[in-house]
Amino acid sequence: MVRTRFAPSPTGSLHLGNARTAVLNWLYARQQGGAFIVRFEDTDLERSVEGAERDIQDALEWLGLAPDEGLFAGGEHGPYRQSERVEIYREHAERLLAEGRAYRCYCTPEELEARRTEARAGKGDVRYDGRCSGLSSEEAGGLIASGRLASVRFRVEPGVIHYRDRVRGDLTVDGEQLGDQVILRSDGRPTYNFAVVVDDLLMGVTHVIRGAGHLSNTPKQVLFYEALGAVPPEFLHLPSVLAPGGGKLSKRAGAPGLLEYREQGYHPEGLLNYLSLLSWSSPSGEEVLSRDQLIAEVDLDRIGAANPEIDPEKLRWLSGQHYRHESVDVLERGLRDRLAGRFEPEARQLRALAEVLRERILILADADPVCELVLPEPDLSSSDAVEVLREPKAGRALRQVARRWERLQSWSRAELKEELAAAGREAGLKGRQFYHPVRVALTGAVQGPDVPDVAYILGRETTAARLALGLVAAEDGERGGG
């Protein structure tokens, strides 16, 4: 059974690069009928951020990446937080000590750094020199008596280490280049490479799909698997996701937290679609793919080694495509949540808003200017509004439109548009002389969405009331001008 995992550190929000890794792990597990595990690697307590675990989980839930096992989902292979598994790591380290595959190292961090500095100055070898690997029991006892705390180091023998990456193929490194590896620090906490192997081994992970930044860790982890008598999982290192134009992703360069995309109203299926295709493409050549299509078509062998760049416009476009491909109900619910606390449109107005905006917006934030323009009562006292409504022919335009729209049987966008054009012809007006007074009466502004769309959103009664108020202002202008 395929078992994949996503193992973020709770040091901040989930950004697009990390989310892409989670998406591919989830898709592959779903395609293969396997399990998707989410665990948190929090042994670096100094960098952990309060609330980050919950934020990451919320982001995964928003994308629809429900884990089969994890900190919030439970499961039989827990705990799913590394800081709660320290005794497990110690047990495995003790096993390697007993088998002679590891030894205790009493060198202090200050001593190690001093040796590295000296080696760099003389262009020597900065790797650990193994001086504690052959300590006698008397020597070790003396160091312990002096108050020294011991870390645990894994013995790395010289010789070629073979490992395989599904993207890059067969790779090798000489063990002599690695040096003896610390697996437990002197305070008892595990190092990343050791903890992740123990976790993946005990959780039955079959496929390790992660970022290319971990590629150099793989030979060390392969050695740990072999020492623990296990076959390594299959490794696939994804190319790094770059900021727009290249360079490392950062909050300022294309990598806001995933929950910020939710706040801006990106369609979660559009974001899932985009992240899925950052490293592979559909054989069909299609770009707008449903969740079911992504599950069916994800192909680890189609992942290339080139580093993709975030394309914000492509991401926005895919979001809009998913709003257009889905029922208008989806957008209606999104608008209701977004407008809560600011506007309370009637049910019919909310539905009309969704129908109109579905063709116009890419993310929900694009709806804000329209809602802020159309839903409040128009301000007819602004200088722009007063100037338009005092034009000599403004009253004529408003009377004709009100008369034509009043007779409408069906308040449809098509009929509103048709009757608006007929009103202009009857009034003998066109262009700004005709449209500006109508738009100002409905919204208080001379620019905005198409006038028939505004009327459709407002509804018959509200439109008639606003035209009437606009006509009063225009007639005042006519009398003043006479």
Side-chain angles (χ1 to χ4, degrees):
M1 177 178 173
V2 167
R3 291 173 62 81
T4 67
R5 51 77 162 174
F6 178 58
S9 297
T11 55
S13 302
L14 196 65
H15 59 65
L16 292 182
N18 293 333
R20 186 274 305 263
T21 300
V23 166
L24 288 176
N25 275 281
W26 184 87
L27 286 175
Y28 189 64
R30 289 292 170 270
Q31 183 191 70
Q32 299 298 316
F36 172 61
I37 305 163
V38 174
R39 67 170 187 256
F40 288 89
E41 297 180 347
D42 67 335
T43 53
D44 191 352
L45 299 177
E46 293 79 8
R47 295 182 61 230
S48 293
V49 175
E50 185 177 358
E53 289 178 345
R54 184 70 259 180
D55 283 351
I56 291 170
Q57 184 64 23
D58 287 349
L60 294 175
E61 289 176 358
W62 176 60
L63 278 183
L65 307 183
D68 300 290
E69 299 177 26
L71 180 62
F72 296 98
E76 60 184 35
H77 297 90
Y80 294 95
R81 183 188 282 127
Q82 280 189 341
S83 59
E84 298 174 2
R85 299 172 61 83
V86 173
E87 286 304 317
I88 297 174
Y89 307 131
R90 287 176 181 167
E91 290 174 8
H92 284 74
E94 290 291 342
R95 170 183 163 184
L96 295 178
L97 283 167
E99 295 174 355
R101 302 299 302 269
Y103 59 91
R104 299 189 189 280
C105 174
Y106 297 91
C107 299
T108 66
E110 293 77 17
E111 289 172 342
L112 293 171
E113 183 55 35
R115 290 177 207 151
R116 283 192 291 266
T117 300
E118 184 179 351
R120 290 190 195 100
K123 298 184 179 180
D125 192 347
V126 297
R127 291 170 299 171
Y128 180 62
D129 57 15
R131 66 180 59 193
C132 289
S133 62
L135 289 177
S136 66
S137 57
E138 291 79 10
E139 290 172 321
L143 290 168
I144 294 171
S146 70
R148 293 280 184 120
L149 298 176
S151 62
V152 177
R153 285 186 181 270
F154 179 81
R155 297 181 190 273
V156 179
E157 302 295 338
V160 176
I161 303 168
H162 294 272
Y163 59 107
R164 179 173 177 77
D165 174 61
R166 190 156 177 173
V167 174
R168 295 159 184 82
D170 294 314
L171 302 168
T172 61
V173 66
D174 193 323
E176 194 171 3
Q177 298 175 11
L178 302 180
D180 293 348
Q181 298 290 302
V182 174
I183 57 176
L184 282 187
R185 300 180 179 90
S186 58
D187 61 4
R189 289 184 298 163
T191 55
Y192 167 79
N193 282 313
F194 187 62
V196 76
V197 166
V198 173
D199 289 345
D200 286 344
L201 178 58
L202 297 183
M203 294 180 187
V205 172
T206 61
H207 292 72
V208 173
I209 303 171
R210 59 189 179 186
H214 290 290
L215 190 60
S216 62
N217 292 324
T218 307
K220 305 169 189 175
Q221 294 173 12
V222 166
L223 290 178
F224 297 154
Y225 275 107
E226 293 173 350
L228 293 171
V231 177
E234 183 168 350
F235 292 100
L236 189 153
H237 292 87
L238 300 168
S240 300
V241 178
L242 304 179
K248 187 177 180 180
L249 275 177
S250 67
K251 191 173 182 62
R252 292 183 178 179
L258 219 65
L259 294 181
E260 293 183 43
Y261 286 97
R262 182 179 69 177
E263 291 171 6
Q264 293 177 52
Y266 280 77
H267 196 301
E269 296 296 305
L271 189 54
L272 177 74
N273 187 169
Y274 180 77
L275 293 172
S276 300
L277 300 181
L278 270 181
S279 299
W280 65 281
S281 59
S282 169
S284 68
E286 293 182 27
E287 293 185 306
V288 183
L289 301 171
S290 69
R291 182 177 295 256
D292 288 343
Q293 286 176 295
L294 291 170
I295 292 172
E297 295 187 14
V298 65
D299 185 349
L300 301 184
D301 291 325
R302 290 180 64 85
I303 294 176
N307 296 330
E309 294 180 13
I310 295 295
D311 184 344
E313 292 308 311
K314 180 71 167 292
L315 176 52
R316 280 176 52 85
W317 177 79
L318 273 174
S319 173
Q321 290 302 307
H322 279 270
Y323 278 122
R324 286 156 184 62
H325 278 70
E326 288 191 334
S327 164
V328 71
D329 296 344
V330 175
L331 181 54
E332 184 177 354
R333 289 193 296 269
L335 287 171
R336 181 188 298 114
D337 294 342
R338 188 167 186 84
L339 295 177
R342 292 188 295 159
F343 301 108
E344 295 183 5
E346 302 169 3
R348 197 216 65 82
Q349 287 181 328
L350 185 64
R351 183 70 175 189
L353 257 174
E355 291 174 4
V356 170
L357 293 177
R358 186 184 182 202
E359 303 167 8
R360 298 169 56 99
I361 68 170
L362 302 178
I363 61 176
L364 292 182
D366 295 341
D368 290 347
V370 176
C371 295
E372 291 164 2
L373 180 69
V374 174
L375 295 180
E377 290 292 328
D379 178 12
L380 302 185
S381 64
S382 70
S383 58
D384 286 345
V386 169
E387 181 180 350
V388 169
L389 294 176
R390 284 187 175 178
E391 288 286 332
K393 298 175 183 178
R396 190 197 314 174
L398 292 171
R399 290 187 197 95
Q400 289 294 340
V401 172
R403 186 177 301 117
R404 300 289 304 199
W405 280 355
E406 184 181 18
R407 297 199 297 260
L408 282 176
Q409 296 297 311
S410 159
W411 196 258
S412 70
R413 295 165 71 188
E415 285 190 291
L416 285 164
K417 183 177 182 179
E418 182 180 332
E419 290 300 304
L420 180 67
R425 291 192 296 270
E426 286 183 358
L429 300 172
K430 58 184 179 179
R432 64 182 304 277
Q433 279 191 324
F434 177 65
Y435 289 104
H436 276 197
V438 182
R439 190 188 300 278
V440 165
L442 296 180
T443 68
V446 296
Q447 294 182 333
D450 292 342
V451 170
D453 286 344
V454 174
Y456 181 68
I457 292 168
L458 293 175
R460 187 187 297 272
E461 292 182 5
T462 302
T463 296
R466 291 189 181 185
L467 288 175
L469 288 175
L471 185 56
V472 169
E475 289 175 342
D476 286 345
E478 288 175 344
R479 287 191 293 272

